[in-house]
Amino acid sequence: MFNDLSTPLDFLATRRSGRPRDMVEPGPQTAELRRILEIATRTPDHGKLAPWRFVIVEKSQRTRFAEILHTAYRLDRELPGKLEIEAIDQFAHQAPTLVVALHSPKEASKIPLWEQELSTGAACFNLLAAAHAHGYVGGWLTGWAAYSDAVRDAFGAAPERIAGFVFLGTAGAELKERPRPDYDAVVRQWSPE
């Protein structure tokens, strides 16, 4: 069973993201989403800088979001084909809830930017974990739109960057395990000699 909430350890051992394109209603209600985002901010943050922000894109704003994506996509490409247009529309409208996570570095701080980036990633993971703990599924996506300055400018400004698009909702399809790294391939005992 994925996202087993019977104990904190069971949850961590079974945590699994959902695919945004498979998510259905309901998504988190306003109060639930607020609580999820409050939990997301309880993350390791050297210097207490909060080098991240979250922007909620309401359902009523998804068409405008799709228009921004289409405009940004055309900046670096020829006219998109039918399948590309459909993929952009599907991305913009999938899942009941969308939160854009922004890395918002505090460049004047003595805290290294790398540590600020790590904090942003931790905040995004906390967002997913909080959504799962509320009984929803979440999916954290990037793709070309996360690296587009034009898309970023719809939500923030340089030096900010989009850390990801976090989609939340109810699983509309069975969650499936994905390959996990072999323990011995990624963990070893340190031997200083």
Side-chain angles (χ1 to χ4, degrees):
M1 175 169 117
F2 293 108
N3 300 327
D4 179 355
L5 299 176
S6 56
T7 71
L9 286 177
D10 288 333
F11 170 67
L12 291 173
T14 62
R15 195 212 65 81
R16 178 68 177 106
S17 294
R19 293 187 331 184
R21 67 177 173 256
D22 293 337
M23 293 178 195
V24 297
E25 295 285 355
Q29 299 302 306
T30 303
E32 289 176 308
L33 184 57
R34 180 182 178 96
R35 183 72 177 130
I36 288 167
L37 291 169
E38 287 172 343
I39 291 168
T41 68
R42 296 183 57 84
T43 194
D45 177 12
H46 185 187
K48 299 179 224 44
L49 300 176
W52 23 257
R53 294 188 311 107
F54 301 106
V55 179
I56 301 165
V57 181
E58 298 288 345
K59 277 289 223 188
S60 62
Q61 300 166 327
R62 296 292 190 94
T63 298
R64 179 66 185 124
F65 177 50
E67 291 168 358
I68 290 165
L69 292 175
H70 283 291
T71 300
Y73 191 80
R74 287 183 174 100
L75 290 175
D76 298 323
R77 294 164 188 84
E78 305 258 338
L79 287 177
K82 179 181 179 209
L83 294 179
E84 292 166 300
I85 291 170
E86 289 173 359
I88 290 169
D89 285 335
Q90 187 269 332
F91 183 87
H93 291 94
Q94 65 191 350
T97 304
L98 170 58
V99 177
V100 179
L102 292 161
H103 172 58
S104 186
K106 309 306 185 247
E107 294 180 325
S109 171
K110 66 179 182 175
I111 305 303
L113 292 175
W114 170 237
E115 292 186 28
Q116 295 182 47
E117 290 177 22
L118 292 171
S119 182
T120 300
C124 290
F125 178 77
N126 270 4
L127 195 163
L128 285 178
H132 296 162
H134 276 80
Y136 299 103
V137 293
W140 175 6
L141 302 180
T142 53
W144 69 268
Y147 300 98
S148 165
D149 288 345
V151 176
R152 185 266 329 271
D153 291 347
F155 301 101
E160 291 182 314
R161 294 183 317 205
I162 294 175
F165 302 93
V166 183
F167 294 92
L168 308 173
T170 299
E174 181 182 346
L175 299 178
K176 295 186 178 168
E177 187 57 277
R178 67 170 182 80
R180 304 291 176 174
D182 177 66
Y183 178 89
D184 293 324
V186 297
V187 178
R188 68 177 179 89
Q189 294 291 328
W190 181 61
S191 176
E193 300 172 0

